[in-house]
Amino acid sequence: MPYSDSLAMQNIINAVDHHLAVAFIDFSGRFEYVNDNFCKATQYSEKELINNHYSIVLHDSHDNKQLINAMKLIRGGQIWQGEMLNKKKDGSPLWVNSTIVPMLDREGKPFRYFTYKIDITEKKEMEEKLKTVERKLRLSVSETNYLKYVLDQSSMVTMIDRDRNILYVNDRFAELMKRKPLDIIGKKLDELNARAHPDSFYDEMWETVFKGEVWSGDVQTRNVDGEARWTSTSIFPMLNEAGEAYRFIFVSQDITQMKEAEQLVLRSEKLSVLGELAAGIAHEIRNPLTSLKGFTALLEEGETATDKKAYISVLKSEIDRIEYTVNELMMLAKPKKTEVKPVAIEELVQSVCGFLQPELSMKNIELSCDGQNPSAEVMCEENQIKQVVMNVLKNAIEAMKQGGRVRVSYRYEEKRMAIIIRDDGEGMSEDLLKKIDTPFFTTKQTGNGLGIPMCQNIMKLHHGAMNISSTPGAGTTVELVLPY
């Protein structure tokens, strides 16, 4: 070999020896030569490695099949290259990118091989960390999707930006608003026309979330039909890198039924207190009222002057009106359930209809009161049920100022029956219907607002119910349900 070629070869060997971990191994698997880089990588000294078997640097978790395949290639005179798991003297893993080259004798048969390795432990550890992070991220995405699914199934979810543009709504929110999600997304929140609170309520809410704080409270909203709904809502601000709230996630639960139940409880408590108050007032009024009636009657008997008799007549009328209100107050406080007996219910209703016939004719109102089961009997206090039917029919008459029709029908079931009274009057809005059983609330100029609460008390005392439904412009239906 010329000198220049020999020098070039020596330079190549020196370069390889300087940068790579190099070892020569005979075909019995024993080290013949190791360089400094190999010793540094494995933490073994040259003396500890020479004449020792290469298995000393194999990790317990190495891929044995990989090693067998590599040795087959080398014995066949081929080069093998790949990543292999070795170990250091202290037992820690040593990942290497290894190239194994067989050396051939004069007959072309391999008799030893040399290997050069590059330490890729840091790379492998980084790959493992990345895999771990990837697994965690994949799990996080899965958990996030599941969380979204849980939220969508149990809550109404809305996302809004700082300018109150709606970025996202789920199906449950769209159902509450009686719209499709696509009809809501992209619009401004105020375009829903759902505001049902004073401006100060919303100002306080937005002030809180703009500061990056969570806001929670009960919110009333109105859907496309104008129907009022209540939600328990929490607003979670999303912060950007500057710490500013730039998006807001609304998570809400429909609590309309709970609010209605609260109102019923509150109304029941008010009625109870009012009943006690009414009983006390009525009791205090009744005694002097009896005296007034008696003395008025005496004055009328001895009075001959026409003008004074007219005054006394007005006085008697007003006293009767006071007495009627006192009696209603007493009925509101505690209706007396006396003389309960079987009553032919259709005959009772027919008698009330007959009594009101003159008033119906005067106001051009047609009344149909056809019986269905004349022999049907209901256990009740006859006069009290008459009073309820009378009150409902008079309300129906007063609701039809331009005339119309009142229909009385019946529904019989196994254990309950209902007297159904329908009119063609003006009807009532939902808000008005909610207040109709509030004592002293009335839409009449001369009413005292005690009729409906009194009727409901009587029906409750009979273990029945008074159900009212109404549609503006389409009339009102009252069902008086009684045990049968």
Side-chain angles (χ1 to χ4, degrees):
M1 177 183 297
Y3 175 76
S4 60
D5 291 344
S6 176
L7 182 61
M9 182 61 69
Q10 186 62 45
N11 287 337
I12 291 171
I13 291 171
N14 289 339
V16 170
D17 199 47
H18 181 74
H19 290 95
L20 303 175
V22 179
F24 283 81
I25 304 173
D26 66 21
F27 261 80
S28 67
R30 298 185 181 279
F31 287 104
E32 292 182 336
Y33 167 80
V34 291
N35 71 351
D36 289 342
N37 287 335
F38 195 95
C39 293
K40 288 177 182 177
T42 61
Q43 297 177 344
Y44 286 101
S45 65
E46 181 183 1
K47 186 177 181 180
E48 289 173 314
L49 291 172
I50 298 300
N51 293 324
N52 216 331
H53 197 268
Y54 68 81
S55 59
I56 192 175
V57 296
L58 284 178
H59 197 277
D60 294 340
S61 299
H62 79 277
D63 187 345
N64 198 47
K65 288 183 180 179
Q66 179 196 49
L67 184 60
I68 291 171
N69 290 334
M71 294 311 297
K72 281 183 181 179
L73 284 174
I74 295 163
R75 286 191 172 94
Q78 298 182 53
I79 296 173
W80 180 88
Q81 187 176 30
E83 294 179 354
M84 186 176 290
L85 179 58
N86 289 171
K87 70 176 179 179
K88 299 177 183 179
K89 186 177 179 180
D90 63 7
S92 59
L94 172 65
W95 279 97
V96 293
N97 191 330
S98 181
T99 301
I100 304 176
V101 182
M103 301 181 69
L104 308 179
D105 59 17
R106 291 180 179 179
E107 297 177 358
K109 295 180 180 179
F111 67 100
R112 67 161 62 94
Y113 57 90
F114 76 91
T115 177
Y116 57 90
K117 306 173 184 292
I118 300 173
D119 187 346
I120 58 169
T121 304
E122 287 187 7
K123 174 192 168 188
K124 294 297 287 186
E125 287 176 349
M126 183 60 68
E127 286 177 358
E128 285 301 315
K129 287 179 180 178
L130 288 173
K131 286 179 181 179
T132 302
V133 170
E134 184 182 358
R135 284 194 296 270
K136 288 181 177 179
L137 283 174
R138 193 178 299 119
L139 183 61
S140 296
V141 170
S142 173
E143 289 174 340
T144 301
N145 288 335
Y146 183 69
L147 177 60
K148 179 180 179 298
Y149 169 77
V150 170
L151 279 173
D152 282 343
Q153 293 300 309
S154 61
S155 306
M156 292 168 285
V157 182
T158 312
M159 183 183 288
I160 296 171
D161 67 15
R162 194 176 179 88
D163 296 324
R164 303 184 193 181
N165 296 307
I166 300 172
L167 306 176
Y168 167 81
V169 297
N170 68 350
D171 290 339
R172 289 179 68 88
F173 179 81
E175 288 170 7
L176 179 85
M177 302 307 297
K178 292 192 174 180
R179 298 178 183 228
K180 295 179 181 178
L182 290 177
D183 294 336
I184 300 175
I185 294 172
K187 294 184 181 296
K188 285 193 175 292
L189 185 62
D190 294 341
E191 290 182 40
L192 294 180
N193 294 322
R195 295 167 72 94
H197 295 278
D199 289 344
S200 57
F201 176 88
Y202 300 103
D203 292 343
E204 185 272 331
M205 179 183 77
W206 286 110
E207 183 182 352
T208 300
V209 295
F210 278 162
K211 290 190 295 186
E213 300 174 5
V214 176
W215 182 91
S216 295
D218 294 346
V219 181
Q220 189 181 41
T221 187
R222 293 187 182 276
N223 59 29
V224 72
D225 294 336
E227 179 186 8
R229 307 293 295 181
W230 279 94
T231 61
S232 176
T233 299
S234 292
I235 307 175
F236 301 91
M238 298 174 66
L239 307 182
N240 58 21
E241 292 179 356
E244 297 173 339
Y246 74 106
R247 287 181 181 173
F248 310 93
I249 298 175
F250 290 59
V251 180
S252 307
Q253 302 286 338
D254 190 346
I255 58 169
T256 304
Q257 290 186 347
M258 185 182 77
K259 282 288 186 180
E260 289 176 350
E262 287 177 0
Q263 290 299 318
L264 285 174
V265 171
L266 184 61
R267 186 174 296 171
S268 177
E269 290 175 352
K270 285 181 178 178
L271 282 173
S272 177
V273 173
L274 184 61
E276 294 177 8
L277 178 63
I281 293 172
H283 180 74
E284 291 299 321
I285 294 174
R286 251 184 177 172
N287 290 334
L289 193 63
T290 302
S291 300
L292 283 172
K293 281 189 73 174
F295 283 114
T296 303
L298 287 173
L299 286 172
E300 188 178 30
E301 287 180 6
E303 187 59 57
T304 57
T306 305
D307 55 345
K308 290 185 179 179
K309 288 189 74 171
Y311 298 152
I312 292 171
S313 176
V314 172
L315 186 60
K316 282 181 63 180
S317 175
E318 292 303 308
I319 289 172
D320 288 341
R321 186 177 171 188
I322 295 171
E323 186 175 35
Y324 176 78
T325 302
V326 168
N327 289 335
E328 285 198 322
L329 280 170
M330 290 300 294
M331 290 295 293
L332 177 65
K334 189 175 181 181
K336 294 181 180 179
K337 187 177 178 183
T338 57
E339 299 183 18
V340 175
K341 60 182 180 181
V343 174
I345 197 69
E346 292 187 13
E347 185 178 324
L348 180 150
V349 175
Q350 192 69 45
S351 69
V352 176
C353 292
F355 178 79
L356 292 173
Q357 193 59 53
E359 186 175 357
L360 291 164
S361 300
M362 286 176 60
K363 295 188 176 181
N364 195 28
I365 296 172
E366 179 187 347
L367 174 64
S368 62
C369 188
D370 300 327
Q372 180 181 336
N373 186 358
S375 62
E377 292 185 337
V378 173
M379 293 294 294
C380 66
E381 205 290 315
E382 184 174 1
N383 289 328
Q384 289 184 2
I385 299 301
K386 267 188 180 181
Q387 189 174 359
V388 172
V389 175
M390 177 80 74
N391 190 287
V392 174
L393 284 170
K394 285 183 74 67
N395 284 343
I397 292 168
E398 291 173 8
M400 294 183 289
K401 298 175 182 177
Q402 305 300 322
R405 186 180 179 189
V406 178
R407 292 172 293 279
V408 179
S409 60
Y410 305 90
R411 183 178 66 246
Y412 293 94
E413 297 171 354
E414 185 178 353
K415 293 183 179 181
R416 300 177 82 78
M417 64 84 57
I419 306 165
I420 304 167
I421 302 171
R422 296 184 178 90
D423 67 60
D424 295 335
E426 297 174 353
M428 292 177 283
S429 66
E430 184 180 349
D431 288 341
L432 188 60
L433 197 58
K434 288 179 179 177
K435 300 176 184 176
I436 200 67
D437 58 351
T438 303
F440 303 113
F441 174 81
T442 181
T443 59
K444 304 173 188 176
Q445 291 182 353
T446 59
N448 56 27
L450 295 174
I452 297 297
M454 179 198 66
C455 291
Q456 288 185 327
N457 270 15
I458 291 174
M459 296 305 295
K460 185 177 179 181
L461 193 65
H462 282 79
H463 305 289
M466 182 179 183
N467 303 322
I468 306 172
S469 59
S470 188
T471 304
T476 301
T477 300
V478 178
E479 291 189 1
L480 303 174
V481 183
L482 289 165
Y484 175 60

